[in-house]
Amino acid sequence: MHYSFFALISRMKHINRWSLMRNSSVENIQEHSHMVAVIAHALAVIRRDIFGGASDPEQVATAALFHDASEIFTGDMPTPIKYFNPDIVTAYKHIESLASEKLLCSLPGALRTAYEPLLTDAKSADTMALIKAADKLAAYIKCREELTAGNLEFRLAAEQTQEKLIALEMPEVNYFLEQFLPAFELTLDELNFSIE
């Protein structure tokens, strides 16, 4: 028997984000998931090494890689629609759960136990919080990149996402915003100059 899990995962590259907005650079959920994993790992390391908190950066990064995997079946639901009212939120969470179950069924039984926590809400509250914060940071970076490219379509999204990040009141997020976010507005030449 052949299993389709990894072939399905590879299709994440075909699902674009920000579908209701004009993009100067299109982003798909595979690219987004990679960035979220990188940022989630960083937040976990910052929590552990800068603020002395408990975290498992590798586990957080791995879970973040799969945080949008259900969108292989659902597509990327735009935020204004996804959170329009509580009924839609509840219905969409149910659909995401069914999609995750379908993905799990595309694995051999012996592997399902390893992947189940990555594809479901069976993660610790701390891990979920770091992934959600990383997801917001990745969205904020995307908004800022679009604004830097002159695309004002992302102005309100950037403002709203920044407010959500501040409201998290997470030291790891604030540290990332202060120490790393400014570099995202530099050109390649400026980035190269800053490391010499």
Side-chain angles (χ1 to χ4, degrees), residues 42-89:
L43 293 179
V45 170
I46 293 166
R47 174 179 284 180
R48 184 190 66 198
D49 297 352
I50 302 293
F51 296 107
S55 69
D56 181 344
E58 289 73 25
Q59 190 268 337
V60 170
T62 304
L65 275 173
F66 292 92
H67 83 284
D68 278 342
S70 65
E71 292 183 6
I72 294 163
F73 298 115
T74 67
D76 179 50
M77 177 75 72
T79 299
I81 297 167
K82 189 175 184 178
Y83 298 105
F84 182 72
N85 69 39
D87 292 336
I88 292 175
V89 172

Side-chain angles (χ1 to χ4, degrees), residues 5-6 59 62-63 66 104 107-120 122-123:
F5 180 80
F6 295 104
Q59 190 268 337
T62 304
F66 292 92
L104 280 172
L107 283 163
L111 298 181
R112 289 180 192 162
T113 302
Y115 283 89
E116 185 173 10
L118 302 174
L119 297 170
T120 67
K123 298 177 244 333

Side-chain angles (χ1 to χ4, degrees), residues 2-21:
H2 296 118
Y3 295 93
S4 60
F5 180 80
F6 295 104
L8 288 166
I9 291 293
S10 76
R11 297 182 83 57
M12 291 171 73
K13 65 182 168 276
H14 301 300
I15 301 163
N16 293 334
R17 290 174 44 82
W18 305 94
S19 61
L20 295 179
M21 300 170 77

Side-chain angles (χ1 to χ4, degrees), residues 149-174:
N151 183 2
L152 298 181
E153 180 93 10
F154 281 78
R155 191 189 56 197
L156 184 57
E159 291 170 7
Q160 291 172 339
T161 306
Q162 182 181 30
E163 289 170 8
K164 289 176 184 173
L165 286 166
I166 292 167
L168 292 174
E169 296 183 354
M170 292 175 69
E172 306 88 350
V173 171
N174 295 336

Side-chain angles (χ1 to χ4, degrees), residues 168-189:
L168 292 174
E169 296 183 354
M170 292 175 69
E172 306 88 350
V173 171
N174 295 336
Y175 185 93
F176 189 95
L177 288 169
E178 292 166 9
Q179 300 297 320
F180 298 109
L181 189 70
F184 283 89
E185 295 188 3
L186 299 178
T187 65
L188 179 60
D189 289 337

